[in-house]
Structures are given as structure tokens and as C-alpha cells.
Amino acid sequence: MKKKSYLLGEIATILGAKLTGNPERLIDGVASLDSAKEGQVSFLGGARYQLIKSSRHEKFLSTTQASAVLVSPLHAKACPVDKLIIEDPHSAYLTLAKLFEKQFKKVPGIHPTAVIGSGCEISATASIGPYCVIGENCRIGENTSINSHAVIKDNVSIGKDVLIASHVVLYHDVLIGDRVVIHAGAIIGKEGFGMVRSGTGWEKIPHLGTVILEDDVEIGCNTTIDRGALDNTLLKKGVKLDNQIQVGHGVVIGENTIIAGCTGIAGSTRIGKNCMIGGAVAINDNITICDNVIFTAMAGVSKSITQPGIYSSGTGIQPQKDWHRSIACLRKLAKKAKKMENKQYE
Amino acid sequence: MKKKSYLLGEIATILGAKLTGNPERLIDGVASLDSAKEGQVSFLGGARYQLIKSSRHEKFLSTTQASAVLVSPLHAKACPVDKLIIEDPHSAYLTLAKLFEKQFKKVPGIHPTAVIGSGCEISATASIGPYCVIGENCRIGENTSINSHAVIKDNVSIGKDVLIASHVVLYHDVLIGDRVVIHAGAIIGKEGFGMVRSGTGWEKIPHLGTVILEDDVEIGCNTTIDRGALDNTLLKKGVKLDNQIQVGHGVVIGENTIIAGCTGIAGSTRIGKNCMIGGAVAINDNITICDNVIFTAMAGVSKSITQPGIYSSGTGIQPQKDWHRSIACLRKLAKKAKKMENKQYE
Amino acid sequence: MKKKSYLLGEIATILGAKLTGNPERLIDGVASLDSAKEGQVSFLGGARYQLIKSSRHEKFLSTTQASAVLVSPLHAKACPVDKLIIEDPHSAYLTLAKLFEKQFKKVPGIHPTAVIGSGCEISATASIGPYCVIGENCRIGENTSINSHAVIKDNVSIGKDVLIASHVVLYHDVLIGDRVVIHAGAIIGKEGFGMVRSGTGWEKIPHLGTVILEDDVEIGCNTTIDRGALDNTLLKKGVKLDNQIQVGHGVVIGENTIIAGCTGIAGSTRIGKNCMIGGAVAINDNITICDNVIFTAMAGVSKSITQPGIYSSGTGIQPQKDWHRSIACLRKLAKKAKKMENKQYE
């Protein structure tokens, strides 16, 4: 059971920070500089990929109502309240925040309303919530939680310390590693959107592959991942997907690649490891993205990328009148180019 | 209980319209000009932000099969059937449509299959549907409906006259005001997508904030709203979100801002009040959008906006050949610019 | 009951292929050239809209571990293992893959946990899964499967041989034809996002239409389709939608049009038949797209299209530095254009 409050002196010791202020002060939470109240600790970051950009928050330092602030030596003098001085306030904040994070009790066992198929192997330490429906021959590992209304079809295998949140659907034969987190509403393993023309209509290609999520993968809310047609859809160790991402059939994503919300990846594309893909990116089918690529938000990726680096597309936001002019100029240039092409044949 | 049909004369009185035609005619529905049949009233709009653009529908006036049409004095002469003449046919249509809108009976009480945690305060006039799962210490107000399969975790507070549709998930500690509508499949309050590098992988930042939806907020189907890392994610009074929108951790949206489907808003961004945000817009993290801003569909918003107005991005749609030329020209210009930059250092 | 393995000679006969190799070889699956193992058949495609692009896979032919490969006469000589020679290896693969596709047993009948309203007509050959909630006066046809947790509201009509997957929600009065497939998490028939200004806020327009899905329509996971305000939202025979697509109120989509994931279509737009719409496309409201139009991925369609053909938008992906230069040039052009406009009034 976690403590609900700490003395400021205790916190300084836990973080290894130098305290200038009252060590007996009672601290019961954390907050940002501009919203913090008495009893709360705030922080002013300094690292590059930080949670809260310091440029935006520095102005709140002088008027903060926090009882204490985590600051770098650089900002210590400007801090008007008790201070915890440390080289990397951002990392220290993460440690501090974990002290105040809520813990949810997990009750092992199978809720009486869960419907479980024959031939399942479910660890005695796993927890299956109300109204879960689990098919035949599934395997669920130690300390894994399956929350209410999750649907798990036949022959699914789930490792240990996994969280399957409410309303998740795992289709047949999906393989889930250890410490995987799948948030509410995500749907994994539907047959892919592979169609061929058939007379006047479309016929669905059989999808014989499955979806494999390796250890430490995280999948956001309402994200969808389709199974492969021939080979498997594969998310390697440590891949992190945000909400409302669509991953097409047969896609492979390399280790520790992280993808922000609303991005779509079309079928059979391969993405390298340690990539960072911004939100609302659209990635074409059947292309290859090498390791260590960064796509900025809303990039439209139509071709393979073979060199690590940062890539972008789009026109940037403009007042509508200026934008109309920009677009008109672009079209005039294209018309001129067309005329020149035509001249070559005269 | 609503009536299923009205006399045309009754309708004229209800709307305050001048009737030219048979007041005894029986009317049992409404429809658009080109699809209306006998017994139905149609309309030809005139207002600016109207439901049906009149330019498109005017051509159907002369051949309409409607029993009567709501028209402005401007179009009265051209109307070949009974007419209800009124200054603003569009507003009058809204009043008329409400007469024919279906009412669903709401049965107060808790369905015997609902699973309710300890310590909940549920109004006797609230309705909890089949297979709902509600955690501990939740509060549900008067006349609020929670539809089948909704999942509500611990310590959630919901006001009065709220509709929580089927398959909605509300994570712990979420706060919902009065008259809020949350449509099917929306997921509110998951921890945000805030990660920091940790050795070779990624570590999740603790998310200590929650999500607050103030009075009269509406949330579309399968929309996802994450909780804040430090401060709360906050949608102020009257905000309306369409389907499949993603709202990142710590985002604040001002009063009566309306956002169309498939838009994504990255973490910690603040949007002003009375903004109108088109569909499929992508808005960057940690930026600020002032009041009364309009973004057209598919705008990519990478930076803060400080002046009210209309903003756009993108190239507009072109036949593919012309588009290839436009893009080639854009790249040539960039190459020329690069050469000139390089020349400065020669 | 399907066979689990076939002799290579049997397969040659089924496909009508010319076999060069051992007809007694036992085959128990299919796989791509680079992942196939002993006992599996692979293929090297040749058709235009093929499942696996041959340019990418040809290099794997010489080292494949497959027991046999489906090849066109063109590639027969280069194939190092047993070969099934046929004019269109891609079509033959589809036939072959169906031999190995899993069949799921469907148990007719209503699961005891399903909640069914009064006045429903449910075929004796239909299957209703655990925890389904079905409203009043619904009609469900022969051999139709409704999977676990599906929610079907009052007066919904569903044809025969339909699949409604888990967690699907069908709102009141929705009409579903024969052989329709609706994948998990799709939500059909919510009132549309039609609002009018009302004092300081927004008022919802009554939505009196419904959603009609004609025969052979397919709807992907977490896709949302809103009901019409006045007329119906209508997807005609054979329309195929991928995952996470948003279809606004009153949209009409013509026969056999196919739409890839993450695309959004705003209200009252009409799309013709036999269109192919790429992923992440955004289509404006109240416009008309003619038959046989192709939109490439991420196209922003702001206006009606009256000529069949291929249409695109966007700038294409660039290294970020080059992209910055392109955008800067575009803005300079716009500024120059503005100056010239202003000069006209001097």
C-alpha cells in the first residue's frame, strides 16, 4: 500500500536532490507550475524531450503556488519557494510522480459471468473480468489481467503481466508476448483489407497469417491491427502505438519504434527500429522504411526511405487568403511546365 | 406521447408560416425536395450555415412530389405545390423535424445484469442498461442513461440528464457534467501517450490528471480522450466533438468549440473558444490556438495561432499528372534556393 | 470438414497447373517465397493489382525453401524447386489459399445470456452470441451470425448470411442487406454531426433518416457511419470499407466502390460507383464524385469531381531541410502574387 503523503525532506532523499527549504513540509501531490497549490511539488524541466516544454512554463515560476519546485541549478535562484535542486528535474519528476500514482488492486480469478471455451490454460494468478468471452484452446499467463467485455477468440496465446483492457477484441490465433498493454477498444487480428476484382464486384483474399505482438508492446485505444494474408503482421519488442492507429495486413514494425495517434500504415510495409512517427501520418503499402527515421506529423509517405533522418510533407498552415495564392502559384508553375513539355514535341 | 401526423394548417400555426394550400392535408413526415412523397413536407433553405445547401436543391423544386414545401418569399412563386411561406425556412424546418423525431422510452432503474461496485450513489431516476460494469464510489445523477455494455471505472462522477451510449469506457476519476452526450464506443480517460527513453526502450510517464467534460459537451462515436500527465484534460461547456477524434493528454478546449470527425489534437495544446475545426485536421502538441479560429478540413496546424480568422493548408486536389508537375516544380524551387544558400558561403 | 493436407498432384489438378516435380509430395500450407518451409507452396505473382508485388519478391525465388512454387511460364526456368506452371499464378494462389483457410463452426441458436426485445423475428438458423443485446421488433435472416456483445437497437432489419462481429453497434431502424459483413467495433446509425448555432451554443438537428447497407457491403473495424438528417445514408451493393473510416450523415456511395482505411467523408456527399479511394483521404461535405474516380492516399478532396481519372494532392515526402525550403519558396511566390494584386489598385 502506497503512502498518501511525504515530508519534503523524505522526497529530497528519495530523489537525491539538494533541498533549500523546510524538510518537515507535508507533500501530498504534484502539479504544473501554474496550477499547483499548497502541499504540491512542481518542476521546471530542462531536458530535450521533456514532458512539459520549459519555454512555455518558465514564466509561471515566479508566481507559482507550489510548496516546492524541482529545479536545475540554473533556475534555482529564480525560484521563489522551497526548492529541490537537481541536474535533471524532468527525470526526478518521473520518480516523484510514481510515488503519487494510483495503484489499482487486481483480484486474481475468473469472474462468474465470464464465458470460457474448452481447452484453455489460464494461470491461477490471472484475472478475468465480468462479461469476458474467451474461445477454445487459449493460453493466458501469470498475473495477466483481462478486463470486462474483452473478447478473445480461439487459439490465442497471451504471455505474463499483460493488460488487456475493456472491450478489446483479439481474433483467433493472435500471439501476445509478456508485459504487453492493449488499451480499451483496440481490435487485433481481423483479416486484412485485401480484395481482388471478381466479375462486377470484389472478392476477399484469404488471410492465413496472424498478428504477433512481441514483449513490451503497447497498443492504444481503438487502434486496429489486421492479420497478414500470407505472412504475419509483426510488431517487434518494445513497439509503442498511440490511439486510433491502423496497421494493415502483413506490416512489420521494428523494435522500439514509437507511433503517435491517428497514423495509418498500409499493407505489407516494413518499418525499421527506433523510428519516431508523428501523429496523423499516412504510410503507403509495400514500402520499406529504414531504422532511425523520424516522420513529422501528417507526413504522407509514398515511397521507401533508405537514409535515417527527419522527413516531412505538407504546406504548413496559412491564413486562407495567402493559402489560396500559394496554391494558385503552384498550379501556374505546373501549367508552365506542361507547356514546356508540349513544346518539346512541336 | 407524440402525434404521428398533423394537419397542414396545424403545422402552419406551429411554425408561424403563411399557408397557401389545403389546411386539411394530412402530413406524416419530412423529406428533401427530391425524395419527398405524398404526405411529406419538404423545404428550400436560404440561410448561410444551412443543413442542405439551396444551390444544390433548388433544381428539385419544380418536380418535387412533396405535399407542401417550406419556402422563403423569394421562392414562393416557383413552388408548384402547397407552400408554407416563412422568412427562414431552415429554422422552421428544424422545428418541424422535431415534431417527427422518434422518442425512445427510458426505463429508470438498474438492469439485473449490471455489475455495480460498492459505494456508488446512483439516482433513482437514472437508467443503467444490461451488462454495464460500474466500479466503486461512482456518482450518477438524475435522469442519466447508461446504455448496455458501458464500462465505468472507480470514482467517476456523472451529472444529470447525461447519455452514456453502449460500449463507452470511462476510466477512473473522470468527471462528467450535466446534459453531456457520449456516443457509442468513445473512450475517455486512458493514460496519455507520454513516454521517455529508458535504456533501449521507452518508459510510460505517470498520468496523475484526469479528464473533465463540462456541461453540454458532446463526444462522437469511437472518439478517444486521454487523461493529463500533470494537469487535467479539459473540455469546456458546450464543446462538440464528432466521431473518431483523438484528444491528447492535457489538452484544453474552450467553450462552444466544435470539431469535425477524424481530427487529432496532440498533447498539452490549448484551443480557444468558439473555434470551428474542420474534419481530418492535425494539431501539434504544446501549441496555443486563440478564440474564433476556423481551420478548414485537413489543415496541418504546426504552430500557435494568435489571430482569429480562417486558416488552411494542403495543395488542393489535382489530376495526378498535373499534380506530379506541381510537386516537381516545388522541388526545383527548393533546389534553386539551396544553391543560393550554398553560394553565400563560397 | 476441410482436409489439412493435399498431394502436390492433387493441387495441380485443382488449379489446372502444369506440374514439374513430385506429384506425391505432401503439402500442408502456403507461404511467401522468403518465409516458406518444407511442405508449403509459394507463388511468384504477375498480375497488375496483385497481392504481393513481384518486383519485391522475385529476388527470393532462387533461395526459397518452399516445396513447390506457383509460377508463370516466364519464371518457370528460374524456379529451383518443384513448380506449378500457370498463366496467372496470383489467381491460382487465391484458389489454393482457400483450401487452407480456417473454417469456424457456427452454432445456430440464441446464447442464454443474450437479451432479446419483444416482437423480434429471428431465423432458426441464425446464431446470436453471448451478451448480445437486441431491441424490439428486429428481424434477423437465415444463417446470419451476431457475435458476442453486439448491440442492435429497435426496428433493425438484417438479411441472410450476414456477419455482425463482436462489439458492433447498430442503432435503431438500420437496414442491412444479405451477405453483409460488419467487423468488430463498427458503429452504424448514430445521428449525424449536424448542428446549428443556438444562442451562445449549438443545437443538434433532428436526424430522421437511417443507414442502409445493401447486399454484399463490407464494413471494417471501428468504422462509423452516421444516419442522415433528412434522407438516408446509403451504401450501395458491393461497397467495401476498410477500418476506421468515418461516413457522415446522408452520404451516398455507389456500387462496388472500395475505400481504404482512415478515410473520412463529410455529410451529404455523393460518391459514384467503381471508385477506388486510397487510405487517409478526406472528402468534403456536399460535393459529388463521379463514377470510376481514383483518389491516391491522403488526397484532400475539397470540390466535386466530374471526370473519371486519378486525382492526388499533397507535397510528397522530403527530407525536412529540403521541405522547409520548398515551403518557404511557396510562401515567397504567394507574397509576390499579393504584391501584384495590390499594384492593380494603385
Side-chain angles (χ1 to χ4, degrees):
Chain A
M1 190 64 190
K2 277 183 172 186
K3 287 169 66 173
K4 289 203 159 174
S5 60
Y6 295 79
L7 297 179
L8 192 52
E10 284 183 285
I11 288 175
T13 306
I14 291 167
L15 302 180
K18 186 186 152 196
L19 171 63
T20 309
N22 176 6
E24 300 298 317
R25 206 180 283 286
L26 207 65
I27 300 300
D28 57 11
V30 294
S32 62
L33 281 172
D34 54 335
S35 72
K37 294 171 203 142
E38 210 190 306
Q40 294 181 317
V41 172
S42 191
F43 78 106
L44 183 61
R48 176 113 196 277
Y49 288 107
Q50 65 206 19
L51 175 63
I52 305 284
K53 293 191 178 166
S54 60
S55 56
R56 176 165 158 186
H57 287 263
E58 205 167 334
K59 62 181 175 195
F60 298 121
L61 182 61
S62 63
T63 56
T64 187
Q65 299 299 306
S67 287
V69 180
L70 273 160
V71 286
S72 69
L74 190 74
H75 293 107
K77 206 172 158 187
C79 176
V81 297
D82 286 5
K83 46 201 128 185
L84 293 151
I85 305 167
I86 195 159
E87 281 305 316
D88 184 355
H90 190 244
S91 297
Y93 161 72
L94 288 184
T95 307
L96 181 59
K98 282 179 194 161
L99 295 181
F100 294 106
E101 208 175 6
K102 274 200 182 178
Q103 290 296 89
F104 292 93
K105 46 175 185 269
K106 205 174 61 184
V107 189
I110 300 174
H111 194 276
T113 60
V115 175
I116 315 275
S118 63
C120 289
E121 286 176 47
I122 300 177
S123 161
T125 57
S127 160
I128 315 286
Y131 303 127
C132 287
V133 175
I134 299 181
E136 297 180 1
N137 302 316
C138 293
R139 204 187 64 74
I140 296 174
E142 291 165 36
N143 295 311
T144 282
S145 288
I146 316 282
N147 289 358
S148 61
H149 303 92
V151 174
I152 297 175
K153 309 230 166 180
D154 294 352
N155 307 315
V156 168
S157 174
I158 301 176
K160 59 185 182 185
D161 300 312
V162 169
L163 172 62
I164 308 286
S166 290
H167 289 294
V168 164
V169 178
L170 306 181
Y171 279 79
H172 66 92
D173 294 292
V174 163
L175 297 176
I176 308 285
D178 296 338
R179 296 174 303 282
V180 167
V181 175
I182 305 181
H183 292 289
I187 299 175
I188 317 282
K190 193 212 70 173
E191 59 190 20
F193 195 64
M195 307 270 185
V196 286
R197 281 274 184 199
S198 155
T200 57
W202 295 94
E203 192 185 355
K204 174 65 70 93
I205 291 166
H207 278 69
L208 307 178
T210 187
V211 176
I212 301 173
L213 306 184
E214 290 187 354
D215 297 345
D216 302 302
V217 164
E218 179 170 336
I219 305 296
C221 291
N222 285 346
T223 281
T224 51
I225 305 179
D226 286 349
R227 69 176 54 238
L230 253 181
D231 297 321
N232 299 317
T233 305
L234 172 61
L235 275 62
K236 294 192 180 170
K237 200 169 175 329
V239 166
K240 309 288 184 188
L241 299 192
D242 196 357
N243 300 340
Q244 296 196 46
I245 288 172
Q246 153 69 5
V247 179
H249 52 161
V251 165
V252 176
I253 305 181
E255 285 172 29
N256 296 317
T257 281
I258 188 167
I259 305 183
C262 304
T263 285
I265 305 166
S268 301
T269 279
R270 279 153 193 262
I271 296 176
K273 60 186 179 187
N274 296 314
C275 293
M276 296 176 70
I277 298 180
V281 168
I283 303 180
N284 226 337
D285 63 294
N286 283 289
I287 62 174
T288 301
I289 310 300
C290 67
D291 298 344
N292 297 302
V293 166
I294 295 175
F295 292 127
T296 58
M298 224 181 191
V301 186
S302 49
K303 55 173 191 183
S304 290
I305 301 287
T306 57
Q307 295 296 321
I310 308 180
Y311 294 83
S312 301
S313 76
T315 68
I317 193 84
Q318 290 177 276
Q320 196 178 40
K321 271 191 179 172
D322 295 342
W323 175 73
H324 279 148
R325 285 185 194 103
S326 290
I327 299 315
C329 291
L330 200 59
R331 274 152 208 242
K332 269 184 207 158
L333 284 173
K335 264 194 186 159
K336 225 185 261 179
K338 189 178 175 181
K339 268 188 197 160
M340 288 175 64
E341 286 168 31
N342 291 341
K343 258 189 187 164
Q344 298 176 349
Y345 301 98
E346 272 171 18
Chain B
M1 193 63 191
K2 276 184 173 186
K3 288 169 64 172
K4 289 206 159 173
S5 60
Y6 294 81
L7 298 178
L8 192 53
E10 284 184 286
I11 288 176
T13 307
I14 290 167
L15 302 180
K18 187 186 151 196
L19 170 63
T20 307
N22 176 6
E24 300 299 317
R25 206 181 283 285
L26 207 64
I27 300 299
D28 58 10
V30 294
S32 61
L33 281 172
D34 54 336
S35 72
K37 294 170 203 145
E38 211 190 304
Q40 295 182 315
V41 173
S42 190
F43 78 105
L44 183 62
R48 176 109 197 281
Y49 287 108
Q50 65 207 20
L51 175 63
I52 305 284
K53 293 190 179 166
S54 59
S55 56
R56 176 165 158 185
H57 288 263
E58 204 166 334
K59 61 179 174 195
F60 298 119
L61 182 59
S62 63
T63 56
T64 188
Q65 300 298 306
S67 287
V69 179
L70 273 161
V71 286
S72 69
L74 190 73
H75 293 108
K77 208 174 156 186
C79 176
V81 297
D82 287 4
K83 43 202 128 182
L84 294 151
I85 305 167
I86 196 159
E87 281 305 316
D88 183 356
H90 189 244
S91 296
Y93 161 73
L94 287 184
T95 307
L96 180 60
K98 281 180 196 160
L99 295 181
F100 295 104
E101 207 175 9
K102 274 201 180 175
Q103 291 295 91
F104 292 93
K105 48 177 188 268
K106 205 173 62 184
V107 190
I110 300 175
H111 194 277
T113 60
V115 175
I116 315 275
S118 65
C120 290
E121 285 176 47
I122 299 177
S123 162
T125 58
S127 162
I128 315 287
Y131 303 125
C132 287
V133 175
I134 299 182
E136 298 181 359
N137 303 314
C138 292
R139 203 187 65 75
I140 296 172
E142 290 166 35
N143 296 311
T144 282
S145 288
I146 316 283
N147 290 359
S148 62
H149 304 91
V151 174
I152 297 176
K153 309 230 166 181
D154 296 350
N155 307 314
V156 167
S157 175
I158 301 175
K160 59 184 181 188
D161 300 313
V162 168
L163 171 62
I164 308 287
S166 290
H167 289 294
V168 164
V169 178
L170 306 179
Y171 278 79
H172 66 91
D173 295 292
V174 163
L175 298 175
I176 308 285
D178 296 338
R179 297 174 303 281
V180 167
V181 175
I182 304 181
H183 292 290
I187 299 175
I188 318 281
K190 193 212 70 173
E191 59 191 19
F193 195 65
M195 306 270 184
V196 286
R197 281 273 185 199
S198 155
T200 57
W202 294 93
E203 192 184 356
K204 176 63 71 93
I205 290 165
H207 278 69
L208 308 177
T210 187
V211 176
I212 301 173
L213 307 183
E214 290 188 355
D215 296 346
D216 302 302
V217 164
E218 180 171 335
I219 305 296
C221 292
N222 284 347
T223 280
T224 50
I225 306 179
D226 286 348
R227 66 176 56 236
L230 252 182
D231 298 321
N232 299 317
T233 304
L234 171 61
L235 275 60
K236 294 191 180 170
K237 201 169 175 328
V239 166
K240 308 288 183 190
L241 300 193
D242 197 355
N243 299 342
Q244 296 197 47
I245 288 172
Q246 152 68 5
V247 179
H249 52 162
V251 165
V252 176
I253 304 180
E255 286 173 28
N256 296 318
T257 282
I258 188 166
I259 305 183
C262 305
T263 285
I265 306 167
S268 301
T269 279
R270 279 152 193 264
I271 296 175
K273 61 185 179 190
N274 296 315
C275 294
M276 296 176 70
I277 298 180
V281 169
I283 304 181
N284 225 337
D285 63 295
N286 283 288
I287 63 174
T288 301
I289 310 300
C290 69
D291 298 344
N292 298 303
V293 165
I294 295 175
F295 291 126
T296 58
M298 225 183 190
V301 186
S302 49
K303 56 173 193 184
S304 290
I305 301 288
T306 57
Q307 296 295 322
I310 308 180
Y311 294 83
S312 301
S313 76
T315 66
I317 192 84
Q318 290 177 277
Q320 198 178 38
K321 271 192 179 172
D322 296 342
W323 175 72
H324 279 147
R325 285 184 194 104
S326 290
I327 299 317
C329 291
L330 200 58
R331 274 152 207 240
K332 270 184 207 159
L333 284 172
K335 264 195 187 159
K336 224 185 262 180
K338 190 178 175 182
K339 269 189 197 157
M340 286 174 65
E341 286 168 30
N342 291 342
K343 260 191 186 161
Q344 295 175 352
Y345 300 97
E346 274 171 17
Chain C
M1 191 65 190
K2 278 186 175 185
K3 287 168 66 174
K4 288 202 161 173
S5 60
Y6 295 81
L7 298 178
L8 192 52
E10 285 183 284
I11 288 175
T13 307
I14 291 167
L15 302 179
K18 185 186 152 197
L19 171 61
T20 308
N22 176 8
E24 301 299 316
R25 207 181 280 289
L26 206 67
I27 301 298
D28 58 10
V30 294
S32 61
L33 281 173
D34 53 336
S35 72
K37 292 169 205 148
E38 210 189 307
Q40 295 182 317
V41 173
S42 191
F43 77 106
L44 182 63
R48 177 115 195 278
Y49 287 107
Q50 64 206 23
L51 175 64
I52 305 283
K53 293 191 177 167
S54 59
S55 56
R56 179 167 157 182
H57 288 264
E58 205 167 333
K59 61 180 173 196
F60 297 119
L61 182 59
S62 62
T63 56
T64 189
Q65 300 298 307
S67 288
V69 179
L70 274 160
V71 286
S72 69
L74 190 72
H75 293 107
K77 207 175 158 185
C79 177
V81 296
D82 287 4
K83 43 202 130 184
L84 295 151
I85 305 167
I86 196 159
E87 280 305 316
D88 184 354
H90 190 244
S91 297
Y93 161 72
L94 288 184
T95 307
L96 181 59
K98 281 180 195 160
L99 296 181
F100 294 105
E101 210 175 7
K102 274 200 184 179
Q103 291 296 90
F104 292 93
K105 48 177 184 270
K106 205 173 63 184
V107 191
I110 300 176
H111 194 276
T113 60
V115 175
I116 316 275
S118 63
C120 290
E121 285 175 47
I122 300 177
S123 162
T125 58
S127 160
I128 315 286
Y131 303 126
C132 287
V133 175
I134 299 181
E136 297 180 359
N137 303 316
C138 292
R139 204 186 65 74
I140 295 172
E142 290 165 37
N143 295 312
T144 282
S145 288
I146 317 283
N147 290 358
S148 62
H149 303 91
V151 174
I152 297 175
K153 309 231 167 180
D154 295 350
N155 308 314
V156 168
S157 175
I158 301 176
K160 61 183 181 187
D161 300 313
V162 169
L163 171 63
I164 309 286
S166 291
H167 290 293
V168 164
V169 178
L170 306 179
Y171 279 80
H172 66 92
D173 294 292
V174 163
L175 297 176
I176 308 285
D178 296 338
R179 296 173 305 279
V180 168
V181 175
I182 306 182
H183 292 289
I187 299 175
I188 317 281
K190 194 213 69 173
E191 60 190 19
F193 196 65
M195 307 270 184
V196 286
R197 281 273 186 199
S198 155
T200 56
W202 295 95
E203 193 184 353
K204 175 65 70 94
I205 291 166
H207 278 69
L208 307 178
T210 187
V211 176
I212 301 173
L213 307 185
E214 290 187 355
D215 296 346
D216 301 302
V217 164
E218 178 171 337
I219 305 296
C221 292
N222 285 346
T223 280
T224 51
I225 305 178
D226 286 350
R227 67 176 55 236
L230 252 182
D231 298 320
N232 299 318
T233 305
L234 171 60
L235 275 60
K236 294 191 180 169
K237 199 168 174 332
V239 166
K240 309 288 182 189
L241 300 191
D242 196 357
N243 300 340
Q244 297 198 45
I245 289 171
Q246 151 71 5
V247 179
H249 52 162
V251 165
V252 176
I253 305 180
E255 286 172 29
N256 296 317
T257 282
I258 188 166
I259 306 184
C262 305
T263 284
I265 305 166
S268 300
T269 279
R270 280 154 193 263
I271 296 175
K273 62 185 178 190
N274 295 315
C275 293
M276 295 177 71
I277 298 181
V281 169
I283 303 180
N284 225 337
D285 62 294
N286 283 288
I287 63 174
T288 301
I289 310 301
C290 69
D291 298 345
N292 297 303
V293 165
I294 296 175
F295 291 128
T296 57
M298 225 182 190
V301 186
S302 49
K303 56 173 192 185
S304 290
I305 301 288
T306 58
Q307 298 295 322
I310 308 180
Y311 295 83
S312 302
S313 75
T315 67
I317 193 82
Q318 292 175 274
Q320 196 177 39
K321 270 192 180 170
D322 295 343
W323 175 72
H324 278 147
R325 285 184 195 104
S326 290
I327 299 316
C329 291
L330 200 59
R331 274 152 209 242
K332 269 183 207 157
L333 285 171
K335 264 195 187 159
K336 224 185 260 180
K338 189 177 178 183
K339 267 188 198 160
M340 287 175 63
E341 286 168 30
N342 291 342
K343 257 188 188 165
Q344 297 176 348
Y345 300 98
E346 271 172 20

